[in-house]
mmCIF file of all heavy atoms in Angstrom:
data_model
loop_
_atom_site.group_PDB
_atom_site.id
_atom_site.type_symbol
_atom_site.label_atom_id
_atom_site.label_comp_id
_atom_site.label_asym_id
_atom_site.label_seq_id
_atom_site.Cartn_x
_atom_site.Cartn_y
_atom_site.Cartn_z
ATOM 1 N N TRP A 229 16.083 -11.476 13.423
ATOM 2 C CA TRP A 229 15.229 -11.235 14.597
ATOM 3 C C TRP A 229 15.018 -9.749 14.820
ATOM 4 O O TRP A 229 13.962 -9.323 15.291
ATOM 5 C CB TRP A 229 15.870 -11.832 15.847
ATOM 6 C CG TRP A 229 16.096 -13.310 15.817
ATOM 7 C CD1 TRP A 229 16.311 -14.090 14.713
ATOM 8 C CD2 TRP A 229 16.124 -14.197 16.936
ATOM 9 N NE1 TRP A 229 16.477 -15.391 15.080
ATOM 10 C CE2 TRP A 229 16.377 -15.500 16.445
ATOM 11 C CE3 TRP A 229 15.987 -14.014 18.308
ATOM 12 C CZ2 TRP A 229 16.467 -16.602 17.273
ATOM 13 C CZ3 TRP A 229 16.081 -15.114 19.134
ATOM 14 C CH2 TRP A 229 16.308 -16.397 18.623
ATOM 15 N N GLY A 230 16.036 -8.970 14.519
ATOM 16 C CA GLY A 230 15.927 -7.533 14.719
ATOM 17 C C GLY A 230 17.232 -6.865 14.338
ATOM 18 O O GLY A 230 18.304 -7.447 14.532
ATOM 19 N N ASN A 231 17.142 -5.669 13.781
ATOM 20 C CA ASN A 231 18.329 -4.934 13.329
ATOM 21 C C ASN A 231 18.108 -3.465 13.673
ATOM 22 O O ASN A 231 17.010 -2.946 13.462
ATOM 23 C CB ASN A 231 18.484 -5.128 11.807
ATOM 24 C CG ASN A 231 19.521 -4.208 11.202
ATOM 25 O OD1 ASN A 231 19.268 -3.024 11.003
ATOM 26 N ND2 ASN A 231 20.692 -4.747 10.921
ATOM 27 N N PRO A 232 19.107 -2.770 14.198
ATOM 28 C CA PRO A 232 18.888 -1.394 14.673
ATOM 29 C C PRO A 232 18.360 -0.446 13.590
ATOM 30 O O PRO A 232 17.526 0.426 13.885
ATOM 31 C CB PRO A 232 20.279 -0.944 15.133
ATOM 32 C CG PRO A 232 21.069 -2.190 15.339
ATOM 33 C CD PRO A 232 20.487 -3.238 14.446
ATOM 34 N N THR A 233 18.819 -0.593 12.358
ATOM 35 C CA THR A 233 18.362 0.314 11.294
ATOM 36 C C THR A 233 16.910 0.008 10.931
ATOM 37 O O THR A 233 16.099 0.914 10.699
ATOM 38 C CB THR A 233 19.275 0.197 10.061
ATOM 39 O OG1 THR A 233 20.630 0.295 10.497
ATOM 40 C CG2 THR A 233 18.995 1.304 9.060
ATOM 41 N N VAL A 234 16.577 -1.281 10.910
ATOM 42 C CA VAL A 234 15.184 -1.668 10.625
ATOM 43 C C VAL A 234 14.289 -1.243 11.785
ATOM 44 O O VAL A 234 13.173 -0.736 11.573
ATOM 45 C CB VAL A 234 15.090 -3.193 10.361
ATOM 46 C CG1 VAL A 234 13.638 -3.606 10.132
ATOM 47 C CG2 VAL A 234 15.950 -3.587 9.158
ATOM 48 N N THR A 235 14.776 -1.393 13.002
ATOM 49 C CA THR A 235 14.006 -0.976 14.191
ATOM 50 C C THR A 235 13.717 0.527 14.142
ATOM 51 O O THR A 235 12.619 0.975 14.487
ATOM 52 C CB THR A 235 14.787 -1.323 15.482
ATOM 53 O OG1 THR A 235 14.997 -2.736 15.492
ATOM 54 C CG2 THR A 235 14.031 -0.925 16.729
ATOM 55 N N MET A 236 14.707 1.304 13.686
ATOM 56 C CA MET A 236 14.513 2.750 13.556
ATOM 57 C C MET A 236 13.359 3.041 12.589
ATOM 58 O O MET A 236 12.464 3.845 12.866
ATOM 59 C CB MET A 236 15.798 3.406 13.043
ATOM 60 C CG MET A 236 15.581 4.844 12.658
ATOM 61 S SD MET A 236 16.620 5.603 11.391
ATOM 62 C CE MET A 236 16.916 4.498 10.127
ATOM 63 N N LEU A 237 13.372 2.351 11.429
ATOM 64 C CA LEU A 237 12.312 2.564 10.445
ATOM 65 C C LEU A 237 10.958 2.130 11.005
ATOM 66 O O LEU A 237 9.938 2.818 10.803
ATOM 67 C CB LEU A 237 12.622 1.791 9.149
ATOM 68 C CG LEU A 237 11.511 1.805 8.100
ATOM 69 C CD1 LEU A 237 11.210 3.222 7.619
ATOM 70 C CD2 LEU A 237 11.884 0.913 6.911
ATOM 71 N N GLU A 238 10.945 1.023 11.729
ATOM 72 C CA GLU A 238 9.678 0.535 12.300
ATOM 73 C C GLU A 238 9.104 1.552 13.277
ATOM 74 O O GLU A 238 7.885 1.812 13.279
ATOM 75 C CB GLU A 238 9.896 -0.830 12.974
ATOM 76 C CG GLU A 238 10.146 -1.927 11.946
ATOM 77 C CD GLU A 238 10.501 -3.300 12.528
ATOM 78 O OE1 GLU A 238 10.885 -3.369 13.709
ATOM 79 O OE2 GLU A 238 10.401 -4.294 11.790
ATOM 80 N N ALA A 239 9.974 2.171 14.084
ATOM 81 C CA ALA A 239 9.497 3.171 15.045
ATOM 82 C C ALA A 239 8.949 4.397 14.309
ATOM 83 O O ALA A 239 7.934 4.991 14.696
ATOM 84 C CB ALA A 239 10.630 3.566 15.979
ATOM 85 N N LYS A 240 9.619 4.776 13.227
ATOM 86 C CA LYS A 240 9.184 5.951 12.457
ATOM 87 C C LYS A 240 7.821 5.689 11.815
ATOM 88 O O LYS A 240 6.913 6.519 11.878
ATOM 89 C CB LYS A 240 10.252 6.258 11.389
ATOM 90 C CG LYS A 240 10.247 7.699 10.891
ATOM 91 C CD LYS A 240 11.301 7.914 9.820
ATOM 92 C CE LYS A 240 12.664 8.333 10.290
ATOM 93 N NZ LYS A 240 12.713 9.604 11.034
#
Side-chain angles (χ1 to χ4, degrees):
W229 299 28
N231 169 283
T233 311
V234 177
T235 301
M236 170 208 39
L237 173 62
E238 289 175 342
K240 203 181 270 300

